[in-house]
Amino acid sequence: MTNEIIVDVSMDQTRVALLEDRDLVELYIESPEHQGMVGNIYRGKVISVLPGMQAAFVDIGYEKNAFLYVKDIIVSYNNSIKNQCEIYDEGQVCISKLVNVGQSITVQVVKEPIGTKGPRVTTNITLPGRYLVLLPKANYIGISKRIENEDERQRLKEIAQRIKPDHMGLIIRTEGEGKNLLDFTYDLKFLTKLWGEVQADEESEPIPRMLHRDFNLLFRAVRDLFTCNIDKFIINDPVQYTKVLELVDMISPNLKRRVEYFSKKYDIFEYYQIENKINKALEKKVWLQSGGYIVIDKTEALTAIDVNTGKYVGESDLEDTILSINLEAAKEIAKQLRLRNIGGIIVIDFIDMHSQEHREKVIEMLKYHLKKDRTKTIVEGITHLGLVEMTRKKVREGLSTLLKVDCPYCGGIGKILSPELVARFAEREIYKVCSQSVAAAVEVRLHPSAGKCLMGTDEKNIKRLQETLNKKILVKCCENFGRDDIIVKDIDNTTYIC
């Protein structure tokens, strides 16, 4: 398998695409309009404390106050630092004992503002490096679950114990597997220096304000995505190419030879056929190679995914046909969740399977391909209704939110008024205009589909209106009109736009 990172820097925007065997599996976009907040550290002020919700709202200088839940607070308790989750579960304290209105507090964003909700924050600061994560306000050692070899886990734990600063915590990242003490020491030195700068700025004015902005998308791509599993890192901007080389030289010098500058006078995403894949990632229906397809519908509460046989008729019996489609769909669904960055509750309606063995195979296939996803996912299993329930951690806006806006005609619901209803609205406006005008004629402009309905079969409806109102009514169908646009004008050129 060939893995590549393709970076497009153009139009004041940076786009990073992760390809697996030339197939787009992850896409990240950063621009002045879409600058992420996750990872940013703020000095904020508590605006309100809600004991009934066990939460507080913090002003961090953003247009919406940040949400701080009781379990996201680190406190000193009985002379030790504990996560509030432990204390709260023990029933020993509530949020009103931890924060007060007007209190200054240092928080870090862990979830982007989504929809009408503001950002979610925590006091448990984390500073990620290449090989480890520094936890300045915790006091434990963790090893990435993706490192499965027990001997390696024990070796890394011993290294972490040797270098861990007093009263701070460390988490060894997946990329730390196989690395030596010196690699971790360089990483830790950089992170402790960064935390020192944040601390030095904590007591300054004004409040609220930002203490630390997480690194830009290009730096994060080098730090988090550009691992030894990536064969090429290709970028089309000469200035940023030089910066990438400098970053890689500091972080992983052995990967420097894999960085390439794309010098062709051609759009880099078009060259690697990424634009077409992005367009497909915005569609509701995703076709499978077998001829089956899945439909992805996103609502405010959850995402529903439906699997259908489509054109696939199978080669043997019905059960084998259904299993084949469901297995292929499970693999594609895992990929689409990553690519579209779908988070929250996800319900999957696979084609009904009578065999328990087949059900287990489909679930295992889904879990296997979800292992590639760096975002936390939990598959709950199949319900009594035959639906698969799962969750995926929601950190940032999904791809469709970044690349799409609500339709000005349907308001984002995917439906517009029927031509018959628009015609009825036009008729109502004709009555209204005629009641206000003494002109002998009225002109109506609207889309042809609605105009046809307004005229009626053999123009019976418009003739009826003319007889009823005792006025001549001229209907003009305009192809360039929106389907629900209506303009009514009398002969005195008094215009009524509906």
Side-chain angles (χ1 to χ4, degrees):
M1 178 183 287
T2 303
N3 298 325
E4 298 170 310
I5 294 174
I6 312 298
V7 182
D8 172 37
V9 181
S10 59
M11 296 178 62
D12 294 328
Q13 189 179 68
T14 300
R15 299 187 295 173
V16 176
L18 176 60
L19 306 183
E20 294 178 356
D21 275 345
R22 292 297 174 97
D23 196 14
L24 179 65
V25 294
E26 292 182 25
L27 179 69
Y28 303 90
I29 300 172
E30 187 173 81
S31 64
E33 295 78 25
H34 293 106
Q35 284 192 325
M37 296 179 69
V38 170
N40 293 355
I41 302 174
Y42 296 85
R43 188 66 173 172
K45 182 173 290 187
V46 178
I47 299 300
S48 59
V49 178
L50 308 175
M53 293 177 60
Q54 285 289 53
F57 286 94
V58 183
D59 180 8
I60 60 172
Y62 184 65
E63 59 188 47
K64 297 173 185 174
N65 291 332
F67 180 81
L68 175 63
Y69 186 50
V70 66
K71 293 185 180 182
D72 291 322
I73 300 176
I74 292 287
V75 295
S76 177
Y77 189 74
N78 288 345
N79 298 320
S80 65
I81 294 176
K82 296 179 73 174
N83 186 300
Q84 185 54 33
C85 179
E86 302 171 55
I87 301 171
Y88 179 63
D89 288 345
E90 294 166 7
Q92 296 172 334
V93 73
C94 70
I95 194 161
S96 59
K97 301 285 183 66
L98 303 175
V99 293
N100 305 305
V101 174
Q103 175 184 341
S104 296
I105 188 171
T106 299
V107 294
Q108 184 175 40
V109 176
V110 293
K111 186 176 179 181
E112 298 282 359
I114 297 175
T116 58
K117 298 178 181 178
R120 182 163 177 170
V121 295
T122 178
T123 65
N124 184 16
I125 309 298
T126 60
L127 297 174
R130 176 67 164 178
Y131 305 121
L132 51 80
V133 179
L134 177 66
L135 311 173
K137 297 190 176 184
N139 193 11
Y140 65 88
I141 291 172
I143 309 294
S144 169
K145 292 181 180 179
R146 293 177 182 268
I147 301 175
E148 298 177 349
N149 184 283
E150 285 301 323
D151 291 338
E152 176 64 5
R153 291 179 67 86
Q154 184 58 38
R155 184 187 76 86
L156 293 173
K157 186 175 181 180
E158 290 173 359
I159 292 176
Q161 288 171 338
R162 290 176 60 185
I163 64 173
K164 186 181 84 68
D166 292 338
H167 309 301
M168 291 189 185
L170 291 178
I171 297 175
I172 304 297
R173 303 186 71 178
T174 307
E175 190 62 18
E177 186 173 9
K179 302 304 177 185
N180 57 40
L181 177 64
L182 193 60
D183 294 321
F184 293 111
T185 303
Y186 282 141
D187 223 16
L188 182 60
K189 183 178 179 181
F190 169 74
L191 295 176
T192 51
K193 180 182 178 183
L194 179 60
W195 175 240
E197 292 172 355
V198 172
Q199 280 186 302
D201 196 31
E202 270 187 303
E203 300 307 319
S204 304
E205 296 291 340
I207 296 175
R209 75 184 187 287
M210 184 188 298
L211 299 178
H212 165 71
R213 179 184 290 281
D214 196 18
F215 300 104
N216 63 31
L217 176 57
L218 196 59
F219 183 98
R220 298 197 308 272
V222 174
R223 182 189 67 192
D224 301 333
L225 299 178
F226 192 27
T227 66
C228 57
N229 296 321
I230 302 297
D231 300 289
K232 290 182 180 180
F233 188 110
I234 305 170
I235 184 169
N236 65 345
D237 185 274
V239 176
Q240 299 303 323
Y241 165 71
T242 303
K243 289 184 179 180
V244 169
L245 288 177
E246 293 172 354
L247 288 172
V248 175
D249 194 39
M250 288 190 300
I251 295 173
S252 294
N254 56 313
L255 298 179
K256 197 172 178 180
R257 58 185 175 80
R258 304 186 190 184
V259 181
E260 296 182 9
Y261 170 57
F262 183 83
S263 59
K264 297 179 177 64
K265 296 187 181 302
Y266 204 85
D267 183 279
I268 187 170
F269 268 33
E270 197 69 41
Y271 183 84
Y272 287 96
Q273 301 177 349
I274 297 173
E275 295 289 4
N276 185 45
K277 293 181 174 67
I278 294 174
N279 291 334
K280 287 185 176 180
L282 298 174
E283 296 175 357
K284 284 178 60 173
K285 184 181 289 188
V286 180
W287 286 97
L288 306 174
Q289 287 186 350
S290 64
Y293 64 89
I294 63 175
V295 177
I296 302 173
D297 266 311
K298 194 174 186 312
T299 70
E300 188 170 347
L302 54 82
T303 299
I305 302 177
D306 186 33
V307 182
N308 297 278
T309 55
K311 305 171 186 176
Y312 185 63
V313 295
E315 299 176 353
S316 54
D317 62 17
L318 179 61
E319 281 294 309
D320 287 341
T321 299
I322 291 173
L323 176 62
S324 177
I325 293 175
N326 282 340
L327 289 173
E328 186 182 6
K331 179 181 178 181
E332 184 64 30
I333 287 169
K335 187 191 98 173
Q336 291 296 326
L337 295 180
R338 289 174 67 194
L339 175 56
R340 299 175 187 233
N341 195 23
I342 295 173
I345 300 171
I346 300 159
V347 177
I348 308 170
D349 185 11
F350 285 104
I351 304 170
D352 290 341
M353 296 170 285
H354 299 296
S355 167
Q356 182 61 30
E357 181 185 354
H358 287 183
R359 292 181 181 183
E360 290 174 358
K361 282 184 177 180
V362 171
I363 293 296
E364 288 304 312
M365 177 68 79
L366 179 63
K367 288 181 177 178
Y368 174 78
H369 288 284
L370 284 172
K371 288 181 179 179
K372 297 179 181 179
D373 195 345
R374 292 180 300 113
T375 300
K376 184 180 180 181
T377 58
I378 299 175
V379 179
E380 297 291 351
I382 300 180
T383 68
H384 293 298
L385 295 177
L387 303 173
V388 174
E389 293 180 346
M390 64 171 290
T391 60
R392 186 173 185 270
K393 189 175 181 181
K394 187 185 291 186
V395 178
R396 293 181 171 88
E397 293 276 18
L399 189 64
S400 63
T401 305
L402 289 174
L403 300 180
K404 285 185 173 182
V405 296
D406 285 345
C407 170
Y409 295 105
C410 71
I413 64 173
K415 300 282 186 180
I416 59 174
L417 300 178
S418 67
E420 292 81 6
L421 186 57
V422 175
R424 285 192 175 276
F425 287 162
E427 184 175 311
R428 185 185 66 189
E429 295 304 322
I430 290 170
Y431 272 102
K432 189 184 297 183
V433 171
C434 288
S435 69
Q436 299 170 358
S437 172
V438 295
V442 171
E443 180 184 276
V444 185
R445 296 184 183 183
L446 69 176
H447 191 271
S449 61
K452 183 179 179 181
C453 295
L454 180 62
M455 297 288 288
T457 306
D458 296 328
E459 300 186 4
K460 287 181 180 178
N461 189 53
I462 204 69
K463 289 175 182 177
R464 175 186 59 82
L465 278 175
Q466 291 181 132
E467 291 175 3
T468 302
L469 298 170
N470 196 26
K471 290 181 185 288
K472 186 169 181 61
I473 300 173
L474 305 174
V475 179
K476 289 193 175 182
C477 297
C478 306
E479 290 285 354
N480 62 338
F481 267 41
R483 290 182 176 269
D484 57 358
D485 288 344
I486 305 168
I487 292 181
V488 181
K489 179 188 295 184
D490 62 22
I491 58 170
D492 294 327
N493 283 327
T494 302
T495 303
Y496 305 83
I497 301 177
C498 316

